[in-house]
Amino acid sequence: ADDAPKNDYNGHPAARTTAAEASFTPPPPGVPTQLIRKVLIVPPAEDRLPVYTLTFAIPEFSYQTDDKAVVPHSQVRLDRGDIVKMVIPNYKPKSYSISELRETEFDVTMKVYPNGRASGFLDRLKVGDTIHSFGKHVSRTYNNTPKSYVGILVFGVGITEGFPVAKAELEKGSRQVVLVWASRTMHDTFWHDKLRTLSETFP
């Protein structure tokens, strides 16, 4: 009969699956993370795409997983380029740099691409909406001691990782930090006040 138990690949009778088990959808990874602010920093134009800074509240709970690289949002290290994974429904967890980390909130600065599945979903979030997310250490060798010289080269929206790393290096005592930012046009650039303030604070 069609409903007779089938054998598994070892030849043993396979367990029956109930209707409830068949319809079960596992919860998404991460923890609910609420959007509390959204600021347009580069307006859209014919020759450029919009850039937004999204501010999220740091979740009260941490994501429990066996992956030792996963950490609470508050333990993300900007100086080593750690990331936050934003869980996009029906897609995959997408990596974003945290552009600013404060005691109770963090920023993600991103460019919205035409038909972008991840950036498009984030752009459609309204203040008060939630998305699942989790912090993650990057898998790279890292030396926490201050350095004599640090060079950072970024392209386009890659400044959202490069600037926080440069700022963190200066704040922990690295003597000379050079950040080179290549962009298609000057109109695509942003954070001019932040860059000016940082250069004046650490001449």
Side-chain angles (χ1 to χ4, degrees):
D2 289 340
D3 61 351
K6 304 293 190 295
N7 291 340
D8 64 17
Y9 64 89
N10 289 314
H12 305 303
R16 289 181 180 271
T17 301
T18 67
E21 289 172 331
S23 62
F24 173 73
T25 301
V31 289
T33 309
Q34 186 179 49
L35 177 66
I36 58 177
R37 193 161 52 252
K38 180 178 181 180
V39 177
L40 176 67
I41 58 174
V42 175
E46 203 170 295
D47 61 343
R48 65 176 182 263
L49 299 173
V51 176
Y52 289 89
T53 291
L54 308 181
T55 302
F56 296 90
I58 291 180
E60 181 179 352
F61 303 102
S62 300
Y63 177 40
Q64 302 301 314
T65 175
D66 293 333
D67 186 346
K68 299 201 180 329
V70 172
V71 295
H73 295 71
S74 59
Q75 294 180 20
V76 166
R77 293 283 300 273
L78 300 191
D79 57 343
R80 58 180 285 165
D82 285 349
I83 58 174
V84 62
K85 290 278 193 177
M86 310 301 287
V87 183
I88 309 301
N90 302 315
Y91 188 40
K92 63 180 180 180
K94 176 71 173 176
S95 300
Y96 284 93
S97 299
I98 291 183
S99 51
E100 192 78 38
L101 180 63
R102 295 175 288 276
E103 186 176 352
T104 61
E105 58 190 39
F106 67 92
D107 294 343
V108 169
T109 300
M110 55 116 194
K111 181 176 288 188
V112 181
Y113 294 94
N115 303 314
R117 294 184 67 174
S119 65
F121 179 83
L122 291 174
D123 185 42
R124 291 190 293 274
L125 289 176
K126 307 295 184 187
V127 171
D129 288 348
T130 60
I131 180 175
H132 276 67
S133 73
F134 55 93
K136 193 166 187 180
H137 284 324
V138 294
S139 56
R140 65 179 67 156
T141 303
Y142 178 72
N143 184 348
N144 192 40
T145 59
K147 303 165 185 64
S148 298
Y149 181 85
V150 178
I152 301 170
L153 175 63
V154 297
F155 298 87
V157 78
I159 190 67
T160 59
E161 178 182 359
F163 176 79
V165 171
K167 182 172 180 284
E169 284 290 343
L170 288 167
E171 289 175 342
K172 73 182 181 185
S174 291
R175 291 180 56 191
Q176 185 177 12
V177 178
V178 176
L179 173 62
V180 178
W181 180 12
S183 186
R184 192 170 63 88
T185 72
M186 278 300 295
H187 294 299
D188 291 292
T189 63
F190 48 91
W191 286 353
H192 303 134
D193 290 342
K194 283 187 176 186
L195 290 162
R196 187 180 305 109
T197 299
L198 189 64
S199 64
E200 291 172 352
T201 304
F202 300 94

